[in-house]
Amino acid sequence: MARLATLLFSLILPTLMGVGILGFLMAGFGTPGPIVAAAVGLILSLPLSWAVARTLY
């Protein structure tokens, strides 16, 4: 299951980071906003990928 979670992590991480960064950029926030959005995407993608792997496995 760890291999599946790793594979899903590699797909979920850039998706969440990209959505967060684009959201901050479209809202017109400055430089720290997209960096914070990328960090939040990293933090959220870990448990999300594990939960999806547990559901699929």
Side-chain angles (χ1 to χ4, degrees):
M1 188 168 78
R3 291 175 70 187
L4 179 61
T6 304
L7 175 68
L8 289 170
F9 178 74
S10 69
L11 297 172
I12 292 172
L13 175 67
T15 303
L16 288 179
M17 288 175 80
V19 166
I21 290 170
L22 285 176
F24 268 96
L25 291 176
M26 294 299 290
F29 290 110
T31 302
I35 296 171
V36 171
V40 169
L42 173 66
I43 293 168
L44 289 178
S45 65
L46 288 170
L48 184 63
S49 63
W50 188 259
V52 171
R54 189 173 7 148
T55 302
L56 292 175
Y57 192 72

